[in-house]
Amino acid sequence: MSASAAARWASALGEWAIPEEILAQAPAPPWVLPPALFRVGHESPDDPGRPSLEMARLALGDGGTVLDVGCGGGAASLPLAPPATSIVGFDQEPAMLSQFAGAFRRRGIPHRTVEGSWPPGAGAVEPADVVVCNHVVYNVAEIEPFILELSAKARRRVVVELTATHPTAPFNFLWQRFWGLDRPIEPTSSLFLEVLSELGLELEAQAFERPPAPHAISKEEYTAFVRQRLCLNQDRDHEVQAALEGQWPLGVGQLVAVSWSPAAS
């Protein structure tokens, strides 16, 4: 019998682990993300390039509440108000929650923040009409309970946005250059859709292209982020900049928006 999609998802994510011999040389934890990369700009509520926003707005109709899981700076939920009447941001990083709260406060949007990891901390939040979750699932090995808890907290709809391939895949050439390390390709959004299907969810999915965005941080800050991600010392910054050849930030341009009704779970 072939392994389930969820088991293959977990196994594929396990292949992304950084080898211990490289981690042992890392001067700082490699997986820390600069909050500036998640700063929300002036997204238009009518942006036609984000199917995930349209899916959420359709479910909200004339109004409703939103729970943003792994909220970061609020890019998944800030453009939803209105019609959203209140929004809860859930994240495990205090710096992200602070950025989220600041963005909502500046716009006078009712909001609340909750610190925790999902799904263990899900009991700290009430159900919402719509649950959104952008660019989180590739960090989750045990994907089934994560998905099921998203469904459990949604009264109308769950909307997830993810990259078509692993979000750090664009760094693969750098791992090869600095460490001679071949990185994986899987999992992809196709496997995520298989997981949802095996859970019996009647889903809607739409692929789309991410438009180029203005740089959220300086070249020096981004270089430091990449160097830390690669487990390199600070004196390698000039080599990292040379390797990037002015192409930054690195990212996956192809995205997928997925939504489903919790009633189908």
Side-chain angles (χ1 to χ4, degrees):
M1 181 180 296
S2 61
S4 69
R8 286 184 282 127
W9 177 271
S11 177
L13 280 182
E15 295 297 317
W16 284 92
I18 299 173
E20 287 297 327
E21 60 271 20
I22 295 178
L23 272 178
Q25 302 176 56
W31 300 116
V32 175
L33 294 170
L37 284 175
F38 298 87
R39 185 178 297 125
V40 177
H42 299 283
E43 287 82 358
S44 166
D46 299 317
D47 180 4
R50 293 275 302 282
S52 53
L53 292 177
E54 294 308 313
M55 291 171 175
R57 289 191 192 106
L58 182 63
L60 285 167
D62 293 333
T65 57
V66 172
L67 169 62
D68 188 349
V69 175
C71 62
S77 53
L78 186 63
L80 298 176
T85 53
S86 68
I87 297 175
V88 173
F90 184 100
D91 204 290
Q92 63 182 1
E93 297 294 338
M96 297 292 188
L97 291 173
S98 177
Q99 194 162 276
F100 174 95
F104 278 77
R105 192 164 49 246
R106 286 190 296 273
R107 292 161 176 80
I109 299 170
H111 66 281
R112 184 168 73 92
T113 59
V114 177
E115 182 182 344
S117 61
W118 194 272
V125 294
E126 296 297 319
D129 293 310
V130 176
V131 174
V132 297
C133 181
N134 280 17
H135 305 287
V136 176
V137 296
Y138 285 109
N139 294 325
V140 182
E142 298 298 322
I143 194 65
E144 281 193 359
F146 186 93
I147 292 167
L148 291 174
E149 194 61 49
L150 293 179
S151 292
K153 291 296 181 179
R155 286 189 285 262
R156 303 179 192 170
R157 201 77 178 167
V158 179
V159 181
V160 171
E161 184 178 290
L162 69 159
T163 48
T165 57
H166 194 284
T168 65
F171 288 74
N172 286 4
F173 79 100
L174 294 170
W175 285 103
Q176 178 57 235
R177 174 164 176 160
F178 287 98
W179 293 102
L181 181 66
D182 290 327
R183 304 300 279 152
I185 298 174
E186 293 287 339
T188 66
S189 59
S190 296
L191 184 53
F192 181 71
L193 295 180
E194 281 190 54
V195 174
L196 297 176
S197 295
E198 286 189 359
L199 288 172
L201 299 167
E202 296 182 5
L203 57 93
E204 174 189 358
Q206 184 176 343
F208 64 104
E209 295 288 331
R210 181 182 357 222
H215 297 324
I217 60 177
S218 69
K219 181 169 67 174
E220 290 72 24
E221 289 174 310
Y222 190 76
T223 299
F225 158 62
V226 173
R227 176 248 304 157
Q228 185 171 336
R229 171 61 56 87
L230 295 173
C231 303
L232 299 172
N233 291 313
Q234 189 172 354
D235 60 7
R236 307 291 295 276
D237 278 4
H238 66 288
E239 296 178 62
V240 172
Q241 279 199 8
L244 289 172
E245 296 181 338
Q247 302 301 309
W248 63 279
L250 300 175
V252 178
Q254 184 80 18
L255 278 68
V256 180
V258 190
S259 74
W260 66 87
S261 167
S265 59

